[in-house]
Amino acid sequence: MSVGVVIPAAGVGKRMGTKESKQFLFLHHSPILVHTLEIFDSHPQVDEIVVVTRADEIERCYEWLDREHLSKVKKVVPGGRERQESVFLGLQQLTTDYVLVHDAVRPFVTSDLVGRIIDLVRVEQAVVTAVPMKDTVKRSDDSRYVSQTIERQSLWAIQTPQAFQRDLLWKAHQRADGKLFATDDSMLVEELGFPVKIIEGEYTNIKITTPDDLLFAEAIFQMRGLKKDDSIRTRV
Ligand SMILES: Nc1ccn([C@@H]2O[C@H](COP(=O)(O)OP(=O)(O)OP(=O)(O)O)[C@@H](O)[C@H]2O)c(=O)n1
Ligand SMILES: C[C@](O)(CO)[C@H](O)COP(=O)(O)O
């Protein structure tokens, strides 16, 4: 059973506020995107990868692929205005039995988690990575008064990778295309009425979104005992 990976990397990083796209910000010796790609390119259960970047960053992406010998990346294609559109554009390049979708700016996903979600999607057809909420979550109206405290026991903070039987994900995106906005891919599958399984992820699998996250990223890098010249996948 073949496994493909879509890496959405076509965002503009508004919340990061840097001139440089956050996916190309360096984490030690490589761009964040490269750290992320190394995990999937070196994983024995991954067959091929498609990267979705901004049109003006395609060439630069190919340069890094060559430099780092990331041979499983079969294509780099331009993305869309929203993440959902970018993912669908990447999905159209894959014909594998299963597809994982993983944010380019989550460089700390572990090979173990990738393996676990691949094993599970073969049984469940739709799986999302998540961690139990640590904070209490409340809903607030426009005036910033609390309108509801949401019972925490059943709440999860959803991450990527998310894994799907390919045709299921294709059907979900095709049905939603231009009609339904979703912040993650599993929401589109939920809209089909298909059960989505949760697999417990890792709190270190952060999405690098705002400048603070770069501090957390450095701490995780050090915590893993990585030396300056190591890539994230080769732990000491
Ligand atoms: N049109 C878009 C928007 C986002 N992404 C990708 O989706 C992932 C998660 O998105 P996010 O963290 O929101 O990135 P940005 O959209 O760049 O951030 P912001 O919302 O702050 O602009 C990132 O790897 C980002 O590059 C994408 O491929 N295409
Ligand atoms: C897909 C995701 O990472 C799951 O938590 C998240 O929804 C992406 O949101 P973003 O605003 O596109 O970063």
Side-chain angles (χ1 to χ4, degrees):
M1 291 294 186
S2 54
V3 174
V5 184
V6 175
I7 301 287
V12 295
K14 290 186 294 294
R15 290 168 285 181
M16 182 57 77
T18 48
K19 189 170 180 302
E20 174 68 282
S21 315
K22 63 179 181 178
Q23 50 271 24
F24 280 102
L25 289 178
F26 267 54
L27 190 56
H28 290 264
H29 64 289
S30 294
I32 288 167
L33 168 62
V34 171
H35 284 293
T36 302
L37 289 175
E38 285 177 337
I39 296 289
F40 293 93
D41 194 80
S42 60
H43 199 286
Q45 290 175 276
V46 169
D47 299 296
E48 62 180 277
I49 302 165
V50 60
V51 182
V52 190
T53 67
R54 288 172 26 194
D56 61 350
E57 294 181 339
I58 290 179
E59 187 182 338
R60 186 179 183 195
C61 191
Y62 275 120
E63 285 167 8
W64 276 103
L65 298 180
D66 291 342
R67 184 183 307 184
E68 300 297 328
H69 311 295
L70 298 171
S71 58
K72 287 184 184 175
V73 180
K74 302 305 180 206
K75 209 145 190 208
V76 181
V77 296
R81 288 175 57 83
E82 298 296 337
R83 179 186 182 282
Q84 180 179 330
E85 196 182 342
S86 296
V87 171
F88 196 18
L89 287 165
L91 178 60
Q92 291 166 44
Q93 303 299 325
L94 287 173
T95 57
T96 51
D97 300 296
Y98 294 95
V99 173
L100 274 60
V101 182
H102 183 70
D103 298 325
V105 292
R106 288 185 188 268
F108 298 109
V109 61
T110 62
S111 187
D112 169 67
L113 176 54
V114 172
R116 286 193 291 121
I117 199 167
I118 289 173
D119 291 342
L120 191 55
V121 73
R122 292 188 168 131
V123 177
E124 297 288 352
Q125 310 302 304
V127 186
V128 292
T129 308
V131 288
M133 282 303 291
K134 293 181 184 177
D135 300 317
T136 293
V137 178
K138 294 180 186 285
R139 193 184 302 280
S140 168
D141 57 25
D142 293 350
S143 51
R144 292 289 178 97
Y145 285 99
V146 172
S147 53
Q148 181 190 10
T149 296
I150 300 166
E151 180 266 321
R152 185 171 65 189
Q153 279 303 98
S154 55
L155 288 183
W156 293 80
I158 301 300
Q159 304 176 335
T160 67
Q162 303 190 0
F164 309 90
Q165 193 271 340
R166 182 198 172 278
D167 295 347
L168 174 63
L169 183 61
W170 173 277
K171 186 178 168 192
H173 267 278
Q174 194 171 47
R175 182 172 178 274
D177 199 20
K179 295 186 280 294
L180 170 69
F181 173 71
T183 53
D184 83 330
D185 299 281
S186 68
M187 182 177 164
L188 303 178
V189 174
E190 294 156 39
E191 284 295 313
L192 296 178
F194 196 94
V196 176
K197 185 77 173 175
I198 286 177
I199 189 170
E200 190 149 349
E202 299 148 340
Y203 285 110
T204 50
N205 179 26
I206 63 170
K207 181 165 71 74
I208 297 176
T209 308
T210 56
D212 308 8
D213 294 324
L214 295 173
L215 301 174
F216 302 144
E218 184 57 38
I220 295 167
F221 207 91
Q222 302 299 340
M223 188 174 74
R224 289 187 173 178
L226 292 166
K227 297 197 298 291
K228 207 136 180 69
D229 297 334
D230 285 336
S231 71
I232 287 173
R233 67 177 161 166
T234 54
R235 298 199 192 125
V236 290

